[in-house]
Amino acid sequence: MMKKILPIVMIAVLIVSCKSNKETSVNGDNSMTSLDWNGTYVGTTPCADCEGIKTVISLNDDLTFTKKTQYLGKSTDVYTENGSFSWNKAGNTVSLKTDEASQDYFVGEHTLTHLDLSGKKITGDLADKYILKQQGVDTLKNLPWKLVELRGKSIENAPKQPYLILGTADNRVSGNTSCNGFGGEFELLEGNRIKFSKMMHTMMACPNMAIENEFMQVLEVADNYSVVNGVLNLNKGRMATMAKFEVDYFVN
């Protein structure tokens, strides 16, 4: 009798084991385990009494986050929150927690979707406005590069923060010199070479034009670039770096 029972028990154990492994595999395949979710997400969400809420969220491997927001058309202030976040049981949603409140976001492929108070996706005509897009780690284009150093000197006493954006659509460069807005064309070549051309800027006068003049001169002669630890360097030949930039999503 025991000889007949043992094979049945063994088959039952195998079935349960296979089912358990299958369930584990399914449960393990989620945003938390299969996506490169750590990084920075950017977007502008709807606002009841302003033009929109510019939002930048950075999720870190150690389950901490930094969230920066700016109420466009209402204030130039940037509000910063730091805290920790946790995943839900399904592994597809994170809850950002601070001392005052928490907010849930659905984690998708290179996206972070702001959820409503009940933890559901917002629907309607404005649904897409609640989706923040992940920024590429090594991205060069379509980022607001803030000028932080010019010919070895930190940027100080500028009428306005100088920056540049290298656009992908038509290889146009645009930005601010610290006084005037500027635009032109750029070309990326092999060997991290770069060339700016057809540069133009507005003609407004400012008390301090030194930064503008030097910035424009750098763009005229720069012929190569490098991106090291999130810092963009513009160089000429093998000379010392002429200009250094850091990404600042609120600079413009």
Side-chain angles (χ1 to χ4, degrees), residues 5 15 28-29 31-32 59 72 83 91 105 121 129 135 137 148 170 185 189 191 203 206 218 224 226:
I5 294 175
I15 293 174
D29 187 15
S31 300
M32 180 177 63
L59 300 181
L72 302 177
Y105 291 86
K121 290 185 178 180
K129 298 293 185 181
Q135 305 299 293
V137 177
V148 296
D170 50 8
E185 298 180 1
L189 306 168
M203 301 297 291
C206 293
V218 167
N224 70 91
S226 63

Side-chain angles (χ1 to χ4, degrees), residues 42-48 50-55 69-70 72 105 112 114 126 128-132:
V42 180
T44 300
T45 59
C47 175
C50 68
E51 297 174 4
I53 305 174
K54 191 169 187 177
T55 305
T69 53
Q70 182 183 48
L72 302 177
Y105 291 86
L112 203 60
H114 183 108
L126 298 178
D128 290 344
K129 298 293 185 181
Y130 289 94
I131 301 176
L132 310 183

Side-chain angles (χ1 to χ4, degrees), residues 144-212:
W145 290 101
K146 176 180 69 175
L147 181 64
V148 296
E149 188 176 298
L150 195 57
R151 297 191 185 277
K153 297 180 180 179
S154 299
I155 299 301
E156 297 177 355
N157 302 320
K160 188 175 181 180
Q161 176 62 55
Y163 72 94
L164 64 78
I165 297 176
L166 303 171
T168 55
D170 50 8
N171 279 358
R172 297 283 300 176
V173 59
S174 60
N176 192 280
T177 63
S178 78
C179 177
N180 288 284
F182 72 88
E185 298 180 1
F186 74 96
E187 186 178 5
L188 298 180
L189 306 168
E190 291 184 7
N192 278 22
R193 290 181 295 151
I194 190 168
K195 180 180 179 181
F196 296 96
S197 61
K198 300 180 181 179
M199 302 299 293
M200 297 183 294
H201 61 81
T202 56
M203 301 297 291
M204 184 174 65
C206 293
N208 181 4
M209 301 293 288
I211 295 176
E212 171 173 309

Side-chain angles (χ1 to χ4, degrees), residues 43 71 90 93 96 99 104 112 123 139 150 179 182 207 220 231 246:
Y71 291 79
T93 299
L96 277 56
D99 294 336
D104 292 342
L112 203 60
T123 59
T139 298
L150 195 57
C179 177
F182 72 88
E220 288 177 6
V231 176
E246 295 178 354

